[in-house]
Amino acid sequence: MTVKELCELIEAKDMTPEADKSAEVSCGYTCDLLSWVMAHGTAGMAWVTVQTHMNVIAVASLMEMAAVIIPEGIEMEAPSLEKAQDEGINVLQTQLTAYEICARLAEAGLPGKSREA
């Protein structure tokens, strides 16, 4: 699944239109604790979080994630969006809850993060 297909699947608004929407999404993940995501994140991941500050973009960039998904219509802070644009990080905003997002990803066949190290 590409980020473009993901965006359509979760009825998301593309908050970083210049980022690469052809990037492949390898898995989905939901977590709001940044240190946990840093320890368990992977390249190509679509990360669902309610966090909207600059460190979210730093983690997504460091882990080479495909996208950050912000649920429930939560607005990401403007400086964070600017940094995401600069870093080429896809930020998607949707009205769906984190639960609904994950259900759609699973239904579409996108796996969760592998539990193997």
Side-chain angles (χ1 to χ4, degrees), residues 72-91:
E72 299 188 41
I74 297 168
E75 296 283 336
M76 182 168 265
E77 299 168 11
S80 299
L81 284 175
E82 291 170 16
K83 183 66 172 173
Q85 280 284 79
D86 292 345
E87 296 289 326
I89 301 295
N90 286 292
V91 176

Side-chain angles (χ1 to χ4, degrees), residues 1-14 21 92-93:
M1 173 183 304
T2 64
V3 172
K4 182 178 189 291
E5 292 166 331
L6 170 64
C7 194
E8 293 168 3
L9 178 69
I10 62 171
E11 302 171 41
K13 180 179 178 183
D14 179 6
K21 300 303 175 280
L92 309 177
Q93 178 196 54

